[in-house]
Amino acid sequence: MFGNVIVGQSGGPTAVINASLAGVIKTARDRGAEKVYGMRHGIKGLLDHNYVDLSELADSDMEIDLLKRTPSSYLGSCRFKLPEISDDRETYEKIFKILDELNIKCFFYIGGNDSMDTIKKLSDYALIINSDIKFMGVPKTIDNDLAVTDHTPGYGSAAKFIASTMKEIIRDGLVYDYPTITIVEIMGRNAGWLTAAAALSKGEDCEGVDMLFLPEKVFDIDHFMSRVKEQAESGKSMVIAISEGIRVMDGRYVFELSDHVEFVDAFGHKQLAGSAKFLANKIGAELGIKTRAIELSTLQRCAAHMASRTDITEAYNVGGAAVKAAFDGESGKVVVIKRISDDPYMSITETHDVHQIANVEKKVPLEWITEDDFVTDDLIHYIRPLIQAELSPIMINGLPRHLNCDLR
Ligand code: F6P
């Protein structure tokens, strides 16, 4: 008799985070877990005894298949930072009491670099109290900013959505016989991986974006305005991709230069939104050109209808690999993806110490960004395999069918 396992999802959702959940629950059942519990709203929910028994779901191949194609976090999510162990042992005592009551042997947390902080602290505490519960991190984030892993599940699908949406925006943006400017704001916080995906729009059927601004380089507004002016004077319409995280020389985000409402989450991250609107207004006011600002916002996070099958497969595999590692006795680790070949693309999974991954932001290397703020072919070659192939949604009555969990 093995005992039970528990799994949670944390941070921003993705189109494939539920494929990882499917990988965890199916593999755990196949390997002998008696019950598989899901935390509703991550560790925050667990602290409120808010969990659900997923064992029946794990045993239904049809539901597992639907779960894999369901975007966003089936179990709900949280942005909750556990206290430092030295500051508040009570919280940890409470969590471990709940885990013991549920006879939990392995704990899986699907998330990005902030969520891995939870695995780090819980596995550290387990060592302190000599608990034999295993804690494993399962990687996810559309931002692709997790250290060590070649890339994160969730990124390939968001990149595929961004590149294809940019193609459609470019088609729309170039129709008039007078110059218009469309600025598209893309997520990714302080890393430009997602914005770089806009460069994939260029091909034999599409001229691609005209400018691309990643947060890894300081954003020079005067230089930007003069480039826009110069191009517009030649009568050319433009589509420009910017990261939500671009900053000016003094460190302020571009959206902070305008009136904005400040919201900061538990990890100290500001809500980043409004840079495209600010720049579009500035161009309109100063250059008199028709502009449009598009925030891709949450549309890019959960676009399961444009998901990458490569991404779904890898997301499922990292879930399964986490279970295998935990059942083999590993703890305090994160599953990472290692690219072993580009052509044909092939990857394997490994595990890595969570201490080197939690709270670390991996940015786009500067050598992959050109002098004129574009991206190099190396960066395009890095992204391209991750967006390959499709897995069609199950369509019912003209719309994709999703699996829904009661989160109340
Ligand atoms: O999960 C990462 C991310 O999608 C970032 O790209 C974005 O800045 C952030 O989440 C937004 O988070 P929230 O949903 O908490 O506003």
Side-chain angles (χ1 to χ4, degrees):
M1 295 292 252
F2 177 81
N4 304 327
V5 307
I6 193 161
V7 53
Q9 297 172 309
S10 165
T14 79
V16 304
I17 184 170
N18 293 327
S20 296
L21 177 64
V24 168
I25 62 185
K26 179 93 180 96
T27 314
R29 275 299 258 190
D30 287 352
R31 288 188 163 242
E34 283 152 47
K35 279 190 177 208
V36 180
Y37 290 104
M39 303 167 223
R40 286 199 190 101
H41 301 292
I43 191 71
K44 188 162 187 284
L46 185 69
L47 275 161
D48 294 334
H49 296 265
N50 192 2
Y51 48 79
V52 58
D53 186 349
L54 299 171
S55 311
E56 255 181 51
L57 168 56
D59 293 341
S60 157
D61 286 344
M62 236 174 68
E63 299 224 317
I64 286 286
D65 204 36
L66 193 51
L67 185 60
K68 276 178 164 175
R69 296 162 201 245
T70 296
S72 190
S73 308
Y74 174 78
L75 292 169
S77 190
C78 66
R79 294 225 185 252
F80 183 79
K81 194 175 170 72
L82 281 174
E84 294 306 321
I85 298 172
S86 51
D87 291 345
D88 174 6
R89 284 180 77 109
E90 248 177 63
T91 298
Y92 293 88
E93 282 159 14
K94 185 168 177 196
I95 292 172
F96 276 74
K97 187 164 177 281
I98 298 169
L99 296 179
D100 284 340
E101 279 163 10
L102 293 174
N103 191 25
I104 298 299
K105 301 295 176 201
C106 301
F107 177 112
F108 304 98
Y109 214 43
I110 312 171
N113 43 24
D114 294 336
S115 312
M116 291 309 128
D117 182 71
T118 299
I119 287 293
K120 175 174 80 95
K121 288 172 174 157
L122 292 175
S123 58
D124 284 351
Y125 187 76
L127 282 179
I128 296 171
I129 62 164
N130 268 326
S131 160
D132 60 4
I133 303 176
K134 309 297 179 214
F135 293 88
M136 285 297 300
V138 182
K140 108 26 265 198
T141 167
I142 62 162
D143 297 350
N144 197 36
D145 60 352
L146 207 69
V148 184
T149 187
D150 177 79
H151 56 278
T152 48
Y155 173 64
S157 295
K160 187 178 178 91
F161 172 81
I162 289 164
S164 52
T165 301
M166 289 311 296
K167 287 187 73 171
E168 291 160 355
I169 291 173
I170 292 164
R171 285 275 65 75
D172 180 289
L174 305 185
V175 287
Y176 295 117
D177 58 354
Y178 55 88
T180 62
I181 299 194
T182 309
I183 305 184
V184 184
E185 182 173 319
I186 297 171
M187 278 183 166
R189 280 214 183 105
N190 302 312
W193 300 104
L194 280 173
T195 307
L200 297 178
S201 57
K202 187 172 178 161
E204 53 194 31
D205 61 343
C206 182
E207 27 302 75
V209 289
D210 296 280
M211 295 183 202
L212 198 63
F213 294 97
L214 273 51
E216 281 76 5
K217 283 177 84 174
V218 171
F219 185 74
D220 181 339
I221 292 196
D222 294 339
H223 185 55
F224 169 78
M225 291 297 284
S226 61
R227 279 177 74 184
V228 170
K229 185 162 182 262
E230 200 181 300
Q231 290 220 42
E233 276 169 0
S234 69
K236 197 175 170 295
S237 287
M238 270 182 284
V239 177
I240 301 170
I242 63 161
S243 163
E244 63 176 4
I246 50 172
R247 297 173 193 246
V248 290
M249 196 52 139
D250 65 12
R252 276 179 301 165
Y253 290 108
V254 168
F255 77 90
E256 291 180 296
L257 305 177
S258 63
D259 278 347
H260 65 283
V261 180
E262 186 127 323
F263 179 83
V264 182
D265 73 15
F267 291 88
H269 303 300
K270 289 181 182 171
Q271 182 180 9
L272 307 180
S275 292
K277 190 78 204 152
F278 171 77
L279 292 173
N281 285 345
K282 190 170 168 67
I283 294 168
E286 292 179 21
L287 304 177
I289 304 168
K290 185 176 176 202
T291 59
R292 178 164 271 127
I294 301 176
E295 255 183 51
L296 292 187
S297 188
T298 57
L299 296 174
Q300 67 206 293
R301 280 208 298 216
C302 288
H305 62 286
M306 190 44 81
S308 145
R309 181 144 52 85
T310 304
D311 194 22
I312 295 180
T313 306
E314 289 185 334
Y316 185 82
N317 289 347
V318 294
V323 172
K324 185 174 176 301
F327 279 41
D328 287 348
E330 292 188 52
S331 186
K333 304 262 186 78
V334 182
V335 175
V336 294
I337 298 173
K338 190 170 172 189
R339 187 184 301 230
I340 51 167
S341 155
D342 267 314
D343 190 16
Y345 171 74
M346 279 192 285
S347 68
I348 55 169
T349 57
E350 291 181 341
T351 57
H352 199 91
D353 185 350
V354 67
H355 294 84
Q356 283 154 21
I357 294 180
N359 307 311
V360 178
E361 262 180 348
K362 183 178 78 181
K363 309 235 177 123
V364 175
L366 288 179
E367 59 270 24
W368 279 1
I369 307 172
T370 63
E371 277 292 304
D372 58 351
D373 297 312
F374 223 76
V375 299
T376 64
D377 286 348
D378 284 346
L379 182 42
I380 297 209
H381 290 149
Y382 162 83
I383 306 172
R384 185 84 67 190
L386 311 180
I387 66 164
Q388 297 304 316
E390 294 75 40
L391 184 70
S392 308
I394 295 166
M395 303 298 286
I396 307 276
N397 215 3
L399 293 174
R401 182 63 162 231
H402 298 155
L403 196 68
N404 214 3
C405 180
D406 181 4
L407 289 172
R408 284 150 305 158

